[in-house]
């Protein structure tokens, strides 16, 4: 049994700054499954990186105490010895693959852990079979969807067979059915092995059966204390949306067909995005939701059909004009930013906004406060937490206020309180500015109540859920 | 028919060994022999002939340019020089093609790491960078669109877009390095190896023979 402990740890990103953790004490309780609950931006991912030995090797500074593995300072342990015992699933797995495909990535990992070659093949097959990922084994990572990459990263985290597993938002981009399947697998692992697992997730639904308890920070922030799981975790639900009658709108696609290589992604489909309403675009991982958004932004070629705004076709080679009508909030937050700091990003958006009357100075200041960003204006965007980046990204897109907003996983990495605030901002500006909004989100809790309709991309068909609507023809 | 392939490390050594000699030699015949051997090897090793054809086609204008400039401007022996430099160009091209058309980048690097002790940090770093390249093109599109939708423009001649691309690549490389460490990659420590690399002894002999043979040909002609 491995003992992993944090003793009296004070950790800062840069010397002289306010510490992220001050005199923190925490002993991971062996052979338990727990959920780490912290508000967004309070150092959840930092804690995981400390527990897996990536910090201070890759940044930050420990000014007192440290992290200890069986009594040894974790920073003195060679990384392959650490990885044999502790595995980590990163919050943003999409940029974490150094090899071309999952099969090669697993080989790389198992070779690092010095597993004998004859065992590597068997272990790889076992993991791929258990996770149901055989189809993805040879697919290049750059052809996988965000959710598929997340499942591939989970495969890597489980393949090392380490005793302690840290999962940082393992299902943020994973569709409902895959999440259910993977949770069942995790449950099986729990029943048949003696592993220690800590999960961090802002969407705690679905974990109830899996967990023993939750960890949260004590009032003084100097300890992680155990609390009963009932405090945070609810059983999995699947709220549906009762569609409202749709308004008319400006953005329309007509017989739109999309293909990727020889495969059809979307069969010919016609729809008009209603103004002043928010729609949810759902569908399994890899169904092509993000690609569909890219197509609406002219970042992906149409196989057939056309997209029009107010009856006008997008002018060829003029993406710059089209981007004044249709804006995309990228799945990966850092894709959105073009300035160095939070303050510069907000200032640029405020300068170029298409709705300067609505987004005046006082409204922007209030929104910054609501999203908990007002104290971060001097911070570099690369030094924000995943959740802070998402909030900034959302705010910037809202301030720009194009008539059509396509939001790809805007609520990933946000805690439930923040999801509500973000949604309030979204609905308010949607109604005030009569915006057409379409949202991809795998998280449904707390979100569906604010949605006016749902489109589901399934079997290459885009279907309007909850009744026949004249607006859609499959 | 079983494919005939030389070991990737041997091919690299032949390429460097002959490459160095070709740079200093003045023998058209020796270059011609190298070209013929390379072509023969490429046919035997069942390399992608369509790719080979394309490579030869693309270099044709370059070769003609070289030829023409020596014929036109060389002060002495224009024909001799034209033949020499054009054949040199093809000798280099076909040497490179013999390696790159018969092995993938991974296999070449893995073989070099195993046989010639190339550092694994270099091998996996290089592979990671190569894998990132394909994403960078897509990233460029994304960056331009995100700039457009923020009311600014990045033209291809503005340095801003490249700066942005560099910043992105830097943050990717940091994320990748962390991930590699978390997956247990440790610099300078042993790893196991699934990759198998056969290298019969006679291929060392072939390497030696080809280097000596070329030298002998150069001296003889």
């Amino acid at each position: 049994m491995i003992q992993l402990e944090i003793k009296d740890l004070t950790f800062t990103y840069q010397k002289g700054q306010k510490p992220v953790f001050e005199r923190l004490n925490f002993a991971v309780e062996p052979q338990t499954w727990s959920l780490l609950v912290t508000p967004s931006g309070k150092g959840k991912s930092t804690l995981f990186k400390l527990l897996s030995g990536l910090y201070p090797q890759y940044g930050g500074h420990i000014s007192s105490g440290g992290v200890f593995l069986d009594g040894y300072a974790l920073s003195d342990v060679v990384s392959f010895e650490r990885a044999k015992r502790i595995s980590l699933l990163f919050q943003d797995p999409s940029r974490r693959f150094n090899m071309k495909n999952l099969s090669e990535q697993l080989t790389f990992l198992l070779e690092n852990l010095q597993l004998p070659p004859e065992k590597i093949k068997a272990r790889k097959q076992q993991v791929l079979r258990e996770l149901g990922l055989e189809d993805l084994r040879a697919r290049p990572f750059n052809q996988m969807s965000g959710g598929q990459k997340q499942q591939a990263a989970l495969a890597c985290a489980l393949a090392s067979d380490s005793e302690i597993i840290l999962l940082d938002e393992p299902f943020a981009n994973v569709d409902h059915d895959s999440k259910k399947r993977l949770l069942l697998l995790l449950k099986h692992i729990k029943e048949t092995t003696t592993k220690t697992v800590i999960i961090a997730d802002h969407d705690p639904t679905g974990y109830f059966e899996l967990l023993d308890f939750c960890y949260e920070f004590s009032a003084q922030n100097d300890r992680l204390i155990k609390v009963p799981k009932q405090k945070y975790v609810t059983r999995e639900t699947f709220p549906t949306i009762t569609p409202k009658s749709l308004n008319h709108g400006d953005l329309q696609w007509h017989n739109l067909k999309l293909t990727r290589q020889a495969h059809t992604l979307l069969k010919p489909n016609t729809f008009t995005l209603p103004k002043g309403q928010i729609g949810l675009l759902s569908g399994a991982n890899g169904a092509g939701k993000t690609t569909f958004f890219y197509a609406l932004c002219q970042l992906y070629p149409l196989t057939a059909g056309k997209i029009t705004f107010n009856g006008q076709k997008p002018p060829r080679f003029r993406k710059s004009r089209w981007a004044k009508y249709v804006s995309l909030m990228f799945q990966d937050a850092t894709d959105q930013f073009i300035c160095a700091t939070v303050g510069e990003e907000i200032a640029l958006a405020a300068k170029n906004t298409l709705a300067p009357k609505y987004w005046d100075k006082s409204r922007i200041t209030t929104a910054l406060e609501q999203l908990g960003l007002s104290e971060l204006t001097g911070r570099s965007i690369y030094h924000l937490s995943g959740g802070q980046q998402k909030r900034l990204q959302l705010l910037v897109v809202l301030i720009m206020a194009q008539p059509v907003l396509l939001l790809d996983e805007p609520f990933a990495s946000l805690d439930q309180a923040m999801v509500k605030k973000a949604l309030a901002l979204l609905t308010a500006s949607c109604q005030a500015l009569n915006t057409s909004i379409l949202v991809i989100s795998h998280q449904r809790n707390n979100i569906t109540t604010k949605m006016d309709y749902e489109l589901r991309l399934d079997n290459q068909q885009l279907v309007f859920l909850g009744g026949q609507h004249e607006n859609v023809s499959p | 028919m079983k494919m005939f392939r030389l070991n990737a490390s041997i091919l690299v050594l032949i390429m460097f060994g002959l490459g160095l000699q070709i740079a200093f030699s003045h023998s058209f015949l020796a270059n011609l022999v190298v070209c013929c051997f390379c072509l023969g090897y490429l046919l035997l090793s069942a390399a992608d002939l369509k790719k080979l054809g394309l490579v030869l086609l693309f270099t044709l204008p370059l070769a003609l340019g070289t030829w023409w400039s020596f014929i036109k401007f060389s002060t002495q022996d224009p024909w001799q020089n034209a033949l020499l430099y054009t054949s040199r160009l093809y000798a280099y091209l076909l040497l490179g093609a013999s390696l790159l058309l018969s092995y993938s980048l991974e296999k070449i690097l893995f073989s070099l790491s195993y046989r010639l002790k190339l550092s694994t940090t270099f091998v996996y770093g290089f592979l990671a960078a190569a894998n990132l390249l394909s994403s960078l093109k897509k990233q460029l599109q994304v960056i331009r669109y995100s700039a457009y939708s923020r009311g600014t423009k990045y033209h291809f001649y503005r340095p801003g877009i490249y700066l942005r691309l560099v910043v992105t690549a830097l943050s990717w490389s940091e994320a990748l390095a962390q991930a590699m460490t978390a997956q247990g990659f440790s610099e300078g420590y042993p790893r196991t190896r699934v990759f198998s690399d056969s290298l019969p002894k006679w291929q060392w002999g072939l390497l030696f023979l080809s280097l000596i043979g070329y030298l002998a040909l150069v001296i003889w002609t």
Side-chain angles (χ1 to χ4, degrees):
Chain A
M1 212 179 343
I2 298 172
Q3 289 289 341
L4 185 62
E5 277 181 287
I6 291 178
K7 282 186 195 160
D8 211 27
L9 174 82
T10 304
F11 179 81
T12 37
Y13 276 121
Q14 271 166 2
K15 280 185 187 174
Q17 268 184 358
K18 194 170 159 263
V20 189
F21 303 116
E22 204 163 3
R23 305 259 162 207
L24 180 71
N25 285 287
F26 171 49
V28 178
E29 196 171 314
Q31 301 181 8
T32 59
W33 288 55
S34 55
L35 181 75
L36 175 66
V37 184
T38 63
S40 163
K42 281 286 180 283
K44 169 180 60 72
S45 301
T46 310
L47 187 73
F48 273 7
K49 285 184 183 172
L50 279 160
L51 283 174
S52 54
L54 291 178
Y55 288 154
Q57 184 181 347
Y58 283 100
H61 173 72
I62 291 180
S63 53
S64 81
V67 186
F68 298 91
L69 179 73
D70 285 339
Y72 295 99
L74 190 59
S75 48
D76 295 341
V77 180
V78 188
S79 47
F80 75 89
E81 292 289 359
R82 286 197 305 243
K84 275 183 196 172
R85 291 163 180 82
I86 308 163
S87 68
L88 167 67
L89 170 71
F90 288 93
Q91 186 184 21
D92 51 342
S94 63
R95 303 258 182 266
R96 305 285 182 172
F97 302 109
N98 56 307
M99 303 303 286
K100 207 163 51 197
N101 56 41
L102 180 55
S103 174
E104 286 182 13
Q105 190 67 44
L106 288 170
T107 307
F108 169 75
L109 163 76
L110 297 171
E111 284 178 343
N112 290 338
L113 303 184
Q114 303 181 6
L115 206 70
E118 61 278 7
K119 285 193 182 163
I120 289 182
K121 204 177 163 197
R123 175 82 64 84
K124 266 169 60 175
Q125 275 171 346
Q126 183 200 346
V127 170
L128 290 170
R129 197 183 50 242
E130 281 179 353
L131 274 86
L133 296 179
E134 281 116 329
D135 290 350
L136 293 184
R137 62 176 299 147
R139 184 178 303 179
F141 285 121
N142 59 15
Q143 288 174 22
M144 283 191 197
S145 77
Q148 285 169 333
K149 282 186 204 165
Q150 206 155 22
Q151 295 184 41
L154 185 64
C156 294
L158 295 178
S160 58
D161 199 27
S162 48
E163 210 176 299
I164 298 176
I165 302 176
L166 309 170
L167 304 175
D168 196 351
E169 305 203 18
F171 303 119
N173 297 325
V174 176
D175 67 76
H176 182 255
D177 289 345
S178 304
K179 180 174 174 182
K180 244 168 123 177
R181 192 184 77 233
L182 295 171
L183 280 170
L184 270 178
L185 170 74
L186 287 179
K187 207 169 155 234
H188 174 72
I189 292 176
K190 185 181 179 184
E191 283 159 2
T192 51
T193 61
T194 54
K195 291 187 187 302
T196 309
V197 177
I198 307 180
I199 301 168
D201 203 325
H202 290 304
D203 176 18
T205 52
Y207 290 120
F208 196 87
E209 317 270 319
L210 203 62
L211 298 177
D212 300 313
F213 50 81
C214 298
Y215 286 117
E216 64 176 14
F217 280 98
S218 64
Q220 293 81 30
N221 276 326
D222 63 346
R223 266 178 319 131
L224 280 169
I225 46 173
K226 271 161 67 171
V227 288
K229 59 180 172 179
Q230 285 79 356
K231 184 170 176 189
Y232 291 108
V233 187
T234 49
R235 286 173 198 275
E236 177 79 281
T237 53
F238 191 77
T240 52
I241 298 165
T242 322
K244 307 214 170 69
S245 74
L246 298 190
N247 304 337
H248 68 94
D250 289 329
L251 186 81
Q252 185 180 49
W253 56 90
H254 198 78
N255 284 328
L256 177 66
K257 186 181 174 196
L258 300 175
T259 45
R260 183 187 288 142
Q261 284 145 6
H263 305 285
T264 303
L265 280 178
L266 177 69
K267 289 182 182 160
N269 181 279
T270 302
F271 189 69
T272 307
L273 272 191
K275 277 204 254 189
Q277 289 179 313
I278 307 178
L280 180 71
L281 175 62
S282 59
N285 289 144
K289 300 184 294 295
T290 299
T291 309
F292 175 62
F293 271 11
Y294 272 51
L296 292 183
C297 295
Q298 295 194 63
L299 293 172
Y300 193 85
L302 317 184
T303 309
K306 60 177 181 181
I307 301 168
T308 58
F309 186 86
N310 212 354
Q312 292 178 318
K313 265 174 114 169
R316 267 183 110 186
F317 307 117
R318 292 293 295 277
K319 285 194 187 120
S320 54
R321 244 188 88 194
W322 190 247
K324 285 193 176 139
Y325 305 135
V326 184
S327 163
L328 172 61
M329 174 172 170
F330 293 96
Q331 197 175 63
D332 191 336
T334 49
D335 286 347
Q336 204 85 45
F337 304 127
I338 54 175
C339 303
T341 66
V342 176
E344 289 169 22
E345 281 289 331
I346 296 290
L348 179 70
K351 184 180 142 213
N352 291 333
T353 173
L354 300 169
K357 276 192 189 137
Y358 182 77
W359 286 107
D360 56 11
K361 217 171 175 183
S362 72
R363 195 182 295 275
I364 291 176
T365 316
T366 323
L368 277 170
E369 270 165 27
Q370 280 172 331
L371 294 177
L373 294 170
S374 44
E375 283 175 14
L376 302 173
T377 46
R379 186 83 68 88
S380 153
I381 51 164
Y382 288 103
H383 290 154
L384 298 177
S385 79
Q388 287 164 341
Q389 283 180 342
K390 273 279 161 193
R391 283 180 261 156
L392 174 63
Q393 195 194 359
L394 179 67
L395 183 58
V396 161
V397 170
L398 285 181
I399 294 177
M400 279 311 297
Q402 276 89 345
V404 179
L405 301 185
L406 308 171
L407 313 179
D408 197 347
E409 296 287 357
F411 309 114
S413 311
L414 300 193
D415 58 68
Q416 298 308 303
M418 205 45 90
V419 167
K420 282 184 186 155
K421 286 180 191 165
L423 263 173
L425 268 178
L426 190 66
T427 37
S429 83
C430 173
Q431 274 151 20
L433 301 170
N434 213 13
T435 317
S436 308
I437 299 181
L438 192 56
V439 177
I440 297 175
S441 172
H442 284 113
Q443 181 184 339
R444 296 180 77 96
N445 272 14
N446 295 329
I447 289 170
T448 45
T449 47
K450 298 283 181 190
M451 301 281 147
D452 300 303
Y453 63 96
E454 178 172 356
L455 298 176
R456 187 166 178 79
L457 185 54
D458 199 11
N459 283 328
Q460 299 121 37
Q461 310 254 20
L462 193 62
V463 191
F464 185 86
L465 289 190
Q468 288 296 313
H469 201 280
E470 56 185 85
N471 214 348
V472 81
S473 73
Chain B
M1 193 183 82
K2 200 166 173 273
M3 278 185 305
F4 169 77
R5 269 190 196 177
L6 289 170
N7 181 281
S9 294
I10 293 289
L11 277 173
V12 171
L13 289 177
I14 290 181
M15 196 178 82
F16 276 111
L18 287 186
L20 198 69
Q21 295 194 45
I22 288 170
F24 297 106
S25 91
H26 287 278
S27 164
F28 162 68
L29 186 68
N31 292 347
L32 197 67
V33 170
V34 169
C35 290
C36 290
F37 269 107
C38 287
L39 273 175
Y41 171 72
L42 281 165
L43 289 176
L44 273 178
S45 68
D48 187 346
L49 291 183
K50 200 177 148 200
K51 257 188 200 163
L52 178 66
L54 277 176
V55 168
L56 290 175
L57 197 70
F58 278 128
T59 38
L60 194 64
L62 304 179
L64 281 178
T66 310
W67 174 275
W68 182 246
S69 63
F70 277 104
I71 295 285
K72 194 88 181 134
F73 302 111
S74 188
T75 47
Q76 44 186 331
D77 288 342
W79 280 90
Q80 176 76 22
N81 276 332
L83 274 175
L84 176 69
Y85 284 97
T86 311
S87 66
R88 186 178 283 182
L89 186 142
Y90 275 109
Y92 276 130
L93 181 80
L94 288 166
L95 269 176
S98 302
L99 176 70
L100 293 175
L101 291 184
S102 49
Y103 286 104
S104 67
L105 181 65
E106 277 119 89
K107 290 210 169 123
I108 297 169
L109 288 170
F110 287 160
S111 174
L112 287 177
S113 155
Y114 176 48
R115 298 288 171 188
L116 305 177
K117 307 293 168 233
L118 187 68
S119 126
T120 49
T121 311
F122 177 83
V123 169
Y124 285 102
F126 198 85
L127 279 179
N131 293 334
L132 272 186
L133 271 185
S134 60
S135 315
L136 272 183
K137 196 180 150 207
K138 204 170 156 195
Q139 194 60 25
L140 201 67
Q141 265 195 332
V142 163
I143 290 171
R144 291 186 75 174
Y145 199 83
S146 61
Y148 287 149
S149 60
R150 306 286 296 287
T152 50
K153 268 186 202 171
Y154 277 141
H155 290 292
F156 70 93
Y157 51 80
R158 296 251 307 257
I161 188 165
Y162 302 105
L163 195 68
R164 179 76 184 78
L165 206 59
V166 167
V167 170
T168 309
L170 280 178
S171 90
W172 284 0
S173 80
E174 166 84 13
L176 266 181
Q178 286 188 14
M180 285 170 74
T181 307
Q183 296 208 0
F185 184 76
S186 327
E187 223 172 319
Y189 284 87
R191 318 168 67 244
T192 49
R193 186 174 50 82
V194 170
F195 170 74
S196 65
D197 188 58
S198 80
L199 175 48
K201 284 211 174 81
W202 64 265
Q203 294 198 2
W204 287 107
L206 184 79
L207 165 69
F208 188 68
L209 258 178
S210 67
L211 299 185
I212 298 291
Y214 185 88
L215 194 65
L217 249 179
V218 172
I219 294 170
W220 177 61
T221 48

